[in-house]
Amino acid sequence: ELNALTSRELMVAEQVAKGATNREIAATLEITERTVKAHLSAIFEKLAVRDRVQLALAMNNIPTYATVN
């Protein structure tokens, strides 16, 4: 799945997995917060995740489940 991401999207996803905020990611990668949000939207779509928590879990190879028993 991660192969679908561009190198910049992967950098953003790695920062999210570390718990960084959009502002922190923007500062680290020297891009705007708006660009971070655009990358996150693309990442969520490509990896079929709903939010930052699911992205962080996916980046750490922790499975997520759509339903709860």
Side-chain angles (χ1 to χ4, degrees):
E1 293 180 339
L2 296 180
N3 293 334
L5 301 180
T6 66
S7 61
R8 201 60 153 175
E9 289 168 349
L10 188 56
M11 289 180 201
V12 170
E14 288 170 345
Q15 292 295 313
V16 169
K18 293 177 183 177
T21 65
N22 286 1
R23 180 173 288 174
E24 291 168 340
I25 295 167
T28 299
L29 300 180
E30 298 180 346
I31 57 178
T32 67
E33 285 185 64
R34 183 174 179 175
T35 301
V36 172
K37 290 178 185 179
H39 284 313
L40 285 173
S41 293
I43 292 165
F44 291 166
E45 185 174 332
K46 289 179 181 181
L47 298 184
V49 296
R50 290 189 312 263
D51 54 33
R52 296 172 80 92
V53 173
Q54 282 193 338
L55 174 57
L57 292 171
M59 291 298 294
N60 288 296
N61 294 315
I62 300 170
T64 58
Y65 302 97
T67 59
V68 177
N69 293 337

